Amino acid sequence: YICWGCLVWLPCIYTSQTYYMVTHPLDLHPSLIFFFLALGIFSIWANYDADRQRQFFRANDGACQIWGSNAKCIRAKYITQGGKERNSTLLASGWWGLARHFHYIPEILASLAWSVPAFPHLMPYFYTVYLTILLVDRAWRDDDRCREKYGRYWNDYCAIVPYKIIPGII
């Protein structure tokens, strides 16, 4: 199943909008081209910057600054399946202070930037719709898993970062 997904599904779905645009070329105004390019570049940068913040935070055990302020975090404890107690830090600053799974938004926006130039047809948007459903579902499953893993610490984290994906909305 996973081999088929990696070898067949992902290459076909993730490139479907490109295939459509190659076989159905459009003349777009240069300002639209620039906008979609800028949206795509910003989305990729924001996604990588969110990962960079988390790695920097972990490398410094939370003793760092993010966006010019001391990093906010929850120091959590959990029990492994083997019964050992472990410690973890949950970042609540920067991109991770906006929403618990904010990094999914740049991924979805990048897929939209790659798909939206194919305006009139719905087929190129399948990738964006599929990715949105996948990531929204993953955000809910991740929240459930973290609530089970961290218990009250996750509730404390959710009080500091109340939104799952979109700040102010979800």
Side-chain angles (χ1 to χ4, degrees), residues 114-132:
W114 298 325
S115 301
V116 82
F119 294 115
H121 201 279
L122 292 177
M123 193 281 291
Y125 297 98
F126 178 77
Y127 168 55
T128 302
V129 171
Y130 165 76
L131 188 64
T132 301

Side-chain angles (χ1 to χ4, degrees), residues 74-86:
I74 297 291
R75 299 217 178 257
K77 294 181 184 210
Y78 64 96
I79 307 295
T80 66
Q81 288 181 346
K84 295 183 181 181
E85 186 175 273
R86 300 273 190 228

Side-chain angles (χ1 to χ4, degrees), residues 57-70:
F57 171 79
R58 286 182 180 165
N60 291 287
D61 193 32
C64 61
Q65 290 197 337
I66 295 182
W67 289 354
S69 299
N70 291 336

Side-chain angles (χ1 to χ4, degrees), residues 40-142:
I41 290 170
F42 172 78
S43 297
I44 292 167
W45 172 81
N47 193 29
Y48 279 97
D49 193 52
D51 286 340
R52 182 198 59 78
Q53 282 180 354
R54 184 175 52 200
Q55 291 169 358
F56 179 69
F57 171 79
R58 286 182 180 165
N60 291 287
D61 193 32
C64 61
Q65 290 197 337
I66 295 182
W67 289 354
S69 299
N70 291 336
K72 293 180 196 170
C73 70
I74 297 291
R75 299 217 178 257
K77 294 181 184 210
Y78 64 96
I79 307 295
T80 66
Q81 288 181 346
K84 295 183 181 181
E85 186 175 273
R86 300 273 190 228
N87 296 316
S88 185
T89 51
L90 306 172
L91 177 59
S93 292
W95 298 110
W96 304 97
L98 299 176
R100 297 186 298 273
H101 306 283
F102 178 82
H103 61 296
Y104 292 164
I105 295 300
E107 288 188 42
I108 293 167
L109 286 177
S111 75
L112 184 63
W114 298 325
S115 301
V116 82
F119 294 115
H121 201 279
L122 292 177
M123 193 281 291
Y125 297 98
F126 178 77
Y127 168 55
T128 302
V129 171
Y130 165 76
L131 188 64
T132 301
I133 292 168
L134 175 88
L135 294 178
V136 168
D137 178 63
R138 182 186 291 173
W140 259 259
R141 286 184 292 123
D142 284 351

